[in-house]
Amino acid sequence: FSDYIYSELLNIPFDLIKIISNYIELNNDTKVAIVGGYIRDLLINKIHKEKFLKPIDIDIITESSAIDLAKFIKKNISNVDFCLIKEFDIYNTVELNINNLKIDIATSRKEHYEAPGLNPIIKNANIKEDLKRRDFSINAIAFEISKKEIYDIFEGIKNLELGSDILL
């Protein structure tokens, strides 16, 4: 599936994957991955031959600074009418809106809740550790860009093949 996903990611508008690849190279090969719904939908398309619509949102996780990555994208993107960055420092996340394509970028993290209903205590983590906090197995599938590698720690692809979206 890796070659398929990578070829599809190259179709994301604004040369986003090329810009992210440049960021990775300039930042000591830091890890950056596309995660969640977009990867899930690509896999559903491949496995079940369902039509795939263009993405309206993309989730990205990085082991470096989400804010730095968003600023790098904004600085290096071209041929856009609109590019807005909203920073959420408490969670080390950024929402980037490029011509109405919503991109959420998060610094990979672990979360610990001291009590129900409280905001989590955030600690930096690697991408695989970040995936452990996600809700369903199919939302914890990530594609690490520089190595062109799928991370599927909860067998989400197997669940997609079986037509299931539950966490096993």
Side-chain angles (χ1 to χ4, degrees), residues 54-73:
K54 289 186 177 181
I56 55 170
D57 68 359
I58 297 172
D59 296 314
I60 299 173
I61 52 177
T62 178
E63 291 182 4
S64 66
S65 165
I67 294 168
D68 289 348
L69 176 55
K71 289 179 179 177
F72 185 86
I73 291 169

Side-chain angles (χ1 to χ4, degrees), residues 2-165:
S2 293
D3 291 338
Y4 165 76
I5 290 173
Y6 187 73
S7 68
E8 290 296 318
L9 293 180
L10 291 175
N11 294 323
I12 295 174
F14 318 115
D15 287 329
L16 185 64
I17 296 303
K18 290 179 185 176
I19 292 169
I20 292 171
S21 295
N22 289 340
Y23 176 83
I24 292 166
E25 287 178 27
L26 292 170
N27 287 277
N28 300 317
D29 293 323
T30 190
K31 290 185 180 176
V32 178
I34 310 294
V35 66
Y38 186 60
I39 299 299
R40 175 201 64 221
D41 292 347
L42 286 173
L43 289 165
I44 288 171
N45 179 54
K46 182 71 172 168
I47 294 166
H48 297 289
K49 310 293 187 240
E50 293 183 15
K51 284 192 172 185
F52 179 68
L53 302 174
K54 289 186 177 181
I56 55 170
D57 68 359
I58 297 172
D59 296 314
I60 299 173
I61 52 177
T62 178
E63 291 182 4
S64 66
S65 165
I67 294 168
D68 289 348
L69 176 55
K71 289 179 179 177
F72 185 86
I73 291 169
K74 184 174 182 178
K75 179 181 174 187
N76 289 281
I77 205 158
S78 59
N79 299 320
V80 299
D81 299 321
F82 177 76
C83 185
L84 175 68
I85 295 177
K86 286 190 211 175
E87 299 177 19
F88 304 95
D89 292 334
I90 190 169
Y91 295 108
N92 297 318
T93 62
V94 178
E95 183 180 293
L96 188 60
N97 187 326
I98 307 169
N99 287 1
N100 294 318
L101 173 64
K102 187 178 138 214
I103 302 168
D104 290 320
I105 305 172
T107 300
S108 53
R109 66 183 190 257
K110 290 182 188 179
E111 296 177 348
H112 170 72
Y113 294 84
E114 289 189 342
L118 293 180
N119 286 334
I121 297 170
I122 305 292
K123 291 184 180 180
N124 287 350
N126 65 45
I127 289 173
K128 289 181 181 178
E129 291 170 322
D130 183 280
L131 296 176
K132 292 176 184 175
R133 66 179 185 82
R134 304 217 171 232
D135 53 356
F136 293 103
S137 65
I138 61 173
N139 289 334
I141 303 169
F143 185 81
E144 201 267 304
I145 294 169
S146 65
K147 292 184 179 178
K148 299 178 180 109
E149 181 179 348
I150 296 172
Y151 297 163
D152 183 19
I153 61 174
F154 294 120
E155 297 185 338
I157 294 172
K158 180 179 177 182
N159 288 336
L160 287 174
E161 290 170 335
L162 295 171
S164 171
D165 63 358

